[in-house]
Amino acid sequence: QVHLVESGGGLVQPGGSLRLSCAASGNFFNINVMGWYRQAPGKQRELVGTITSGGSTTYVDSVKGRFTVSRDNAKNTVFLQMNSLKPEDTAVYYCKAVARLRSWSGAANDYWGQGTQVTISS
């Protein structure tokens, strides 16, 4: 089982910055990918950015150049540095991990955090 806890959400003015953290705990063999998703009111959940254990990252086009995903493999923690925030970034941000619970298991499963609210408003 993998338990994910997000932190760092809050209210920020347009143009401001926030740094989200997500720490994974539990009993698992490894976490292949960690990342961030968000869901705004009335919209579907969308990918924000992901990072593999090797450090490869992907981002949705709307946040490229403004958001940065990083990872501390030793601590099983992923971060989302958000700069130049816009009102359209307002959403609940969810942490996700893709992990294998056992070394002999070929399957990797998705695990989700509880979400943290990020609000960008004047």
Side-chain angles (χ1 to χ4, degrees):
Q1 183 63 43
V2 181
H3 181 60
L4 303 174
V5 179
E6 301 102 330
S7 62
L11 175 64
V12 180
Q13 293 183 330
S17 298
L18 276 178
R19 182 176 174 86
L20 305 183
S21 299
C22 173
S25 62
N27 299 115
F28 49 85
F29 175 64
N30 65 350
I31 297 177
N32 303 115
V33 182
M34 298 188 75
W36 295 93
Y37 291 71
R38 67 186 181 186
Q39 187 166 20
K43 301 187 68 176
Q44 292 186 311
R45 188 174 299 185
E46 68 171 352
L47 177 142
V48 178
T50 64
I51 185 167
T52 69
S53 59
S56 298
T57 57
T58 60
Y59 300 94
V60 67
D61 287 343
S62 61
V63 309
K64 288 181 179 177
R66 300 188 298 119
F67 291 9
T68 302
V69 177
S70 61
R71 177 172 179 170
D72 185 336
N73 289 330
K75 298 180 180 179
N76 289 312
T77 300
V78 65
F79 306 93
L80 181 65
Q81 179 66 48
M82 303 184 292
N83 300 323
S84 302
L85 285 162
K86 305 174 181 180
E88 52 262 43
D89 295 318
T90 296
V92 177
Y93 283 70
Y94 296 91
C95 176
K96 189 184 86 170
V98 182
R100 290 200 293 168
L101 301 184
R102 299 286 188 272
S103 62
W104 44 261
S105 176
N109 301 116
D110 294 348
Y111 299 88
W112 293 89
Q114 80 287 351
T116 184
Q117 178 70 50
V118 173
T119 302
I120 315 302
S121 177
S122 298

